[in-house]
């Protein structure tokens, strides 16, 4: 995000570095709000809403070209991303039943691999296609999350019928 804010949105280097805190702040606020929201909204609906908010945030972040709007988009993206991990972990644990320990370990392995590999993948894409185009990896990840949710829903329906 700091490179994007500097190179694409045109913020000065120090301002770009500081402005990336918008994402972390939004993640914190989003995680705090997730617990309260789950008392009123079904987890699947919150997951879908979070993906939509992340997509909206990404569109503003990636497409505006205006520094303030780009930072606002980064904040919205952080709000959208915030509940995805806790909700995904909850889905995995709920589905795993008595195999919750194995599910938790696999989720943590996936998170660790994502943290390890995604920056390198984004950097490689940025070197090959440019920083602006490389960020299109993000909506691809949202699409993958939607696909995973759809497959999980279909499997759930099949197991209820069978």
């Amino acid at each position: 995000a700091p490179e994007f804010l500097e190179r694409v949105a045109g913020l000065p280097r120090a301002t770009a570095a500081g402005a990336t805190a918008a994402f972390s702040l939004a993640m914190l606020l989003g995680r705090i709000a997730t617990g309260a929201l789950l008392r009123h909204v079904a987890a699947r609906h919150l997951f879908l809403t979070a993906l939509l908010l992340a997509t909206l945030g990404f569109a503003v972040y990636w497409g505006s070209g205006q520094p303030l709007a780009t930072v606002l988009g980064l904040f919205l993206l952080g709000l959208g991303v915030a509940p995805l991990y806790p909700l995904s972990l909850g889905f995995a644990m709920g589905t795993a039943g008595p195999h919750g320990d194995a599910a938790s370990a696999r989720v943590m392995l996936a998170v660790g691999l994502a943290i390890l590999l995604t920056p390198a993948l984004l950097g490689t894409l940025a070197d090959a296609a440019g920083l602006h185009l490389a960020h299109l990896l993000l909506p691809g990840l949202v699409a993958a999350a939607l696909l995973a949710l759809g497959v999980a829903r279909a499997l759930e329906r099949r197991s209820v019928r069978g």
Side-chain angles (χ1 to χ4, degrees), residues 50-152:
L51 288 175
L52 289 172
L53 183 57
T55 301
L56 172 66
F58 175 78
V60 173
Y61 167 77
W62 189 77
S64 76
Q66 300 297 319
L68 186 57
T70 303
V71 174
L72 174 63
L74 188 60
F75 183 83
L76 294 174
L77 182 58
L79 280 178
V81 168
L84 297 180
Y85 170 73
L87 291 173
S88 296
L89 181 59
F91 295 152
M93 299 300 289
T95 301
H99 306 290
D101 291 344
S104 178
R106 289 181 180 139
V107 168
M108 291 311 299
L109 178 62
V111 168
L113 285 172
I115 290 169
L116 177 68
L117 298 177
T118 303
L121 178 59
L122 186 59
T124 301
L125 286 172
D127 288 344
L131 186 59
H132 194 246
L133 287 177
H135 273 72
L136 289 176
L137 175 67
L138 295 171
L141 293 172
V142 169
L146 281 171
L147 179 64
L149 186 64
V151 168

